PDB file of all heavy atoms in Angstrom:
ATOM      1  N   PRO C 340     143.396 178.205  65.975  1.00  0.00           N
ATOM      2  CA  PRO C 340     143.631 177.179  64.948  1.00  0.00           C
ATOM      3  C   PRO C 340     144.621 177.653  63.879  1.00  0.00           C
ATOM      4  O   PRO C 340     145.430 176.873  63.387  1.00  0.00           O
ATOM      5  CB  PRO C 340     142.244 176.954  64.349  1.00  0.00           C
ATOM      6  CG  PRO C 340     141.303 177.345  65.438  1.00  0.00           C
ATOM      7  CD  PRO C 340     141.967 178.449  66.199  1.00  0.00           C
ATOM      8  N   ALA C 341     144.590 178.934  63.533  1.00  0.00           N
ATOM      9  CA  ALA C 341     145.508 179.429  62.516  1.00  0.00           C
ATOM     10  C   ALA C 341     146.944 179.464  63.034  1.00  0.00           C
ATOM     11  O   ALA C 341     147.890 179.205  62.292  1.00  0.00           O
ATOM     12  CB  ALA C 341     145.080 180.821  62.069  1.00  0.00           C
ATOM     13  N   HIS C 342     147.101 179.814  64.310  1.00  0.00           N
ATOM     14  CA  HIS C 342     148.427 179.855  64.930  1.00  0.00           C
ATOM     15  C   HIS C 342     148.373 179.033  66.212  1.00  0.00           C
ATOM     16  O   HIS C 342     148.079 179.584  67.283  1.00  0.00           O
ATOM     17  CB  HIS C 342     148.836 181.294  65.265  1.00  0.00           C
ATOM     18  CG  HIS C 342     148.771 182.239  64.113  1.00  0.00           C
ATOM     19  ND1 HIS C 342     149.650 182.187  63.053  1.00  0.00           N
ATOM     20  CD2 HIS C 342     147.925 183.257  63.844  1.00  0.00           C
ATOM     21  CE1 HIS C 342     149.349 183.134  62.184  1.00  0.00           C
ATOM     22  NE2 HIS C 342     148.303 183.794  62.633  1.00  0.00           N
ATOM     23  N   PRO C 343     148.670 177.728  66.145  1.00  0.00           N
ATOM     24  CA  PRO C 343     148.477 176.851  67.312  1.00  0.00           C
ATOM     25  C   PRO C 343     149.212 177.338  68.560  1.00  0.00           C
ATOM     26  O   PRO C 343     148.727 177.155  69.671  1.00  0.00           O
ATOM     27  CB  PRO C 343     149.051 175.511  66.850  1.00  0.00           C
ATOM     28  CG  PRO C 343     149.094 175.580  65.369  1.00  0.00           C
ATOM     29  CD  PRO C 343     149.193 177.003  64.978  1.00  0.00           C
ATOM     30  N   PHE C 344     150.400 177.951  68.382  1.00  0.00           N
ATOM     31  CA  PHE C 344     151.144 178.452  69.544  1.00  0.00           C
ATOM     32  C   PHE C 344     151.063 179.978  69.629  1.00  0.00           C
ATOM     33  O   PHE C 344     151.810 180.600  70.364  1.00  0.00           O
ATOM     34  CB  PHE C 344     152.622 178.037  69.476  1.00  0.00           C
ATOM     35  CG  PHE C 344     152.867 176.562  69.687  1.00  0.00           C
ATOM     36  CD1 PHE C 344     154.161 176.045  69.545  1.00  0.00           C
ATOM     37  CD2 PHE C 344     151.850 175.694  70.043  1.00  0.00           C
ATOM     38  CE1 PHE C 344     154.410 174.692  69.747  1.00  0.00           C
ATOM     39  CE2 PHE C 344     152.090 174.344  70.243  1.00  0.00           C
ATOM     40  CZ  PHE C 344     153.370 173.836  70.092  1.00  0.00           C
ATOM     41  N   GLY C 345     150.220 180.624  68.821  1.00  0.00           N
ATOM     42  CA  GLY C 345     150.151 182.081  68.830  1.00  0.00           C
ATOM     43  C   GLY C 345     151.252 182.701  67.983  1.00  0.00           C
ATOM     44  O   GLY C 345     151.957 182.003  67.235  1.00  0.00           O
ATOM     45  N   THR C 346     151.412 184.025  68.095  1.00  0.00           N
ATOM     46  CA  THR C 346     152.453 184.702  67.306  1.00  0.00           C
ATOM     47  C   THR C 346     153.446 185.387  68.234  1.00  0.00           C
ATOM     48  O   THR C 346     153.144 185.681  69.383  1.00  0.00           O
ATOM     49  CB  THR C 346     151.859 185.766  66.362  1.00  0.00           C
ATOM     50  OG1 THR C 346     151.175 186.740  67.143  1.00  0.00           O
ATOM     51  CG2 THR C 346     150.905 185.156  65.356  1.00  0.00           C
ATOM     52  N   ASP C 347     154.645 185.671  67.711  1.00  0.00           N
ATOM     53  CA  ASP C 347     155.690 186.281  68.529  1.00  0.00           C
ATOM     54  C   ASP C 347     155.675 187.805  68.390  1.00  0.00           C
ATOM     55  O   ASP C 347     154.749 188.375  67.827  1.00  0.00           O
ATOM     56  CB  ASP C 347     157.057 185.673  68.193  1.00  0.00           C
ATOM     57  CG  ASP C 347     157.547 186.076  66.810  1.00  0.00           C
ATOM     58  OD1 ASP C 347     156.864 186.860  66.131  1.00  0.00           O
ATOM     59  OD2 ASP C 347     158.627 185.591  66.406  1.00  0.00           O
ATOM     60  N   GLU C 348     156.743 188.455  68.889  1.00  0.00           N
ATOM     61  CA  GLU C 348     156.729 189.920  68.926  1.00  0.00           C
ATOM     62  C   GLU C 348     156.699 190.537  67.526  1.00  0.00           C
ATOM     63  O   GLU C 348     156.217 191.650  67.347  1.00  0.00           O
ATOM     64  CB  GLU C 348     157.919 190.441  69.744  1.00  0.00           C
ATOM     65  CG  GLU C 348     159.293 190.422  69.062  1.00  0.00           C
ATOM     66  CD  GLU C 348     159.995 189.076  69.108  1.00  0.00           C
ATOM     67  OE1 GLU C 348     159.296 188.046  69.298  1.00  0.00           O
ATOM     68  OE2 GLU C 348     161.225 189.031  68.938  1.00  0.00           O
ATOM     69  N   LEU C 349     157.215 189.826  66.528  1.00  0.00           N
ATOM     70  CA  LEU C 349     157.200 190.366  65.174  1.00  0.00           C
ATOM     71  C   LEU C 349     156.038 189.796  64.366  1.00  0.00           C
ATOM     72  O   LEU C 349     156.024 189.879  63.136  1.00  0.00           O
ATOM     73  CB  LEU C 349     158.528 190.072  64.460  1.00  0.00           C
ATOM     74  CG  LEU C 349     159.789 190.617  65.142  1.00  0.00           C
ATOM     75  CD1 LEU C 349     161.025 190.337  64.303  1.00  0.00           C
ATOM     76  CD2 LEU C 349     159.681 192.108  65.405  1.00  0.00           C
ATOM     77  N   GLY C 350     155.089 189.202  65.042  1.00  0.00           N
ATOM     78  CA  GLY C 350     153.892 188.701  64.365  1.00  0.00           C
ATOM     79  C   GLY C 350     154.120 187.418  63.599  1.00  0.00           C
ATOM     80  O   GLY C 350     153.361 187.087  62.693  1.00  0.00           O
ATOM     81  N   ARG C 351     155.161 186.667  63.930  1.00  0.00           N
ATOM     82  CA  ARG C 351     155.416 185.405  63.238  1.00  0.00           C
ATOM     83  C   ARG C 351     154.765 184.253  63.991  1.00  0.00           C
ATOM     84  O   ARG C 351     154.599 184.327  65.212  1.00  0.00           O
ATOM     85  CB  ARG C 351     156.929 185.166  63.134  1.00  0.00           C
ATOM     86  CG  ARG C 351     157.624 186.196  62.283  1.00  0.00           C
ATOM     87  CD  ARG C 351     159.123 186.072  62.384  1.00  0.00           C
ATOM     88  NE  ARG C 351     159.600 186.336  63.749  1.00  0.00           N
ATOM     89  CZ  ARG C 351     160.873 186.572  64.051  1.00  0.00           C
ATOM     90  NH1 ARG C 351     161.782 186.565  63.109  1.00  0.00           N
ATOM     91  NH2 ARG C 351     161.229 186.808  65.287  1.00  0.00           N
TER      92      ARG C 351
END
Side-chain angles (χ1 to χ4, degrees):
Chain C
H342 306 290
F344 290 175
T346 60
D347 70 3
E348 77 278 21
L349 302 183
R351 295 171 297 195

